[in-house]
Amino acid sequence: MVGPCTSGQTRYPRYFSRAAGPYLWDLEGKRYVDLNLGYGPVVLGHADGRVTEAVLCELRNGNCIAPLWSRRQSELTDLLVSVVPGAEMAYLLKTGSDATSTAVRLSRIFTGRSKVIRWGYNGWHDWAAGIPAGVPEATRSDTLLFDYSDLGTLRDAFARHPGQVACVLMMPFGDETAPEGHLQKIRDIAHEHGALFVLDEMRSGFRLGLSGAQGLLGVQADVSTFSKAMANGHPISAVVGRADVLSALARTRISSTFYADPAPMAAALTTIRVLRDTDALERIRKAGSAFQDGLSALVDRHRVPARVVGYPPMPFLQFTHPDPVIRERMSTAFAAGAAQRGVLLHPSHQWFLSAAHTSEDVEFALDGCDRALAALEPVLATRPA
Ligand SMILES: Cc1ncc(COP(=O)(O)O)c(C=O)c1O
């Protein structure tokens, strides 16, 4: 049986025993070069000593201090405001879903409107649920989806609900890179209709660059949301943006018992400062480019129907076989084949590089991909049942 998600026999590890730098070890002690990186939070490398030290320091000093706040809170909100384009205020929470849901609540208060137009994965809460089960129809009808590559669908959504849309909330891109000027066009359409433009930078933030997709692509959101790479794997998220919008926090109550914990704030302060003050992001970009170039050459050599996509810090291999069943079989067989050779690559979620991945790790990962691609021939020869 092939595939990471199958029960019973699997060629993909399910449990880990330890992770350090770019590596992860399974229960049998087998080492893997990790390109999943926890779905993106690990940006400096697993268990980075600087981040761990900062966290331990807070834990030793007492971490559960609500309703009081630690100095780490204002240090971190100041730091976020200093690096996110156009940001004037920041508010700290725990998860990515917390942050996007807060952005929606604030947009609704600020505009006095209730509908949200969204794109991409934005979290699990009712307004963003990708699967309707358990979500009341009234909630579902307030969230509209649009097609990233067809802005006519965005204009249609506005036309169908004039004066009712609070915000357009979206990931800046999916597996592929964003077309030139695309986000600016979306921002302009949102503003034309009196809605806010909210960018969900959960994956792109503190990974594409210090100022995220906004800095790289030259677009400024009214509000943006961050988590994942901002704290190298520690649980914290942030809503960042215009002061007039974030001031709406005073007109609602968004709080949770553990929001005040200083330990993840210390993790974020250390991570962001390392990203700001060292060449970590440049090394990630170079490692990602080398991986993408090497993988593209392998795909050509093995004549596999696939293409390497994405920005270098978050690449992915899209299988392009016209038959969706074979396509799916190829991606699961490829991920399982790479795992057998000590390389962890998710079959259906974009991958990530960290500052801890050396050129030797990239070579090792490419060697694993080489063998996994070579082993795909029998999959290509099969026909769906
Ligand atoms: C783009 C994006 N937005 C929101 C979320 C939700 O974050 P969390 O899983 O921390 O709730 C994720 C998580 O994968 C994400 O990738």
Side-chain angles (χ1 to χ4, degrees), residues 95-97 100 121-123 171 200 202-203 228:
T95 71
S97 301
T100 52
Y121 180 70
N122 308 120
M171 288 165 45
D200 177 351
M202 230 60 79
R203 296 181 198 176
K228 297 201 186 247

Side-chain angles (χ1 to χ4, degrees), residues 39 94-100 119-125 169-173 200-204 225 227-228 236-237 349-350 352:
Y39 285 119
K94 269 278 174 266
T95 71
S97 301
D98 284 353
T100 52
W119 180 81
Y121 180 70
N122 308 120
W124 71 270
H125 291 169
L169 185 151
M170 63 186 293
M171 288 165 45
F173 46 80
D200 177 351
E201 291 239 43
M202 230 60 79
R203 296 181 198 176
S204 49
T225 55
S227 180
K228 297 201 186 247
I236 188 162
S237 62
H349 189 290
Q350 62 209 150
F352 301 95

Side-chain angles (χ1 to χ4, degrees), residues 15-37:
Y15 293 93
F16 96 118
S17 61
R18 180 165 94 80
Y23 310 122
L24 198 148
W25 286 262
D26 69 13
L27 291 183
E28 279 75 48
K30 176 173 169 174
R31 193 191 82 172
Y32 299 85
V33 169
D34 185 15
L35 290 128
N36 293 332
L37 297 178

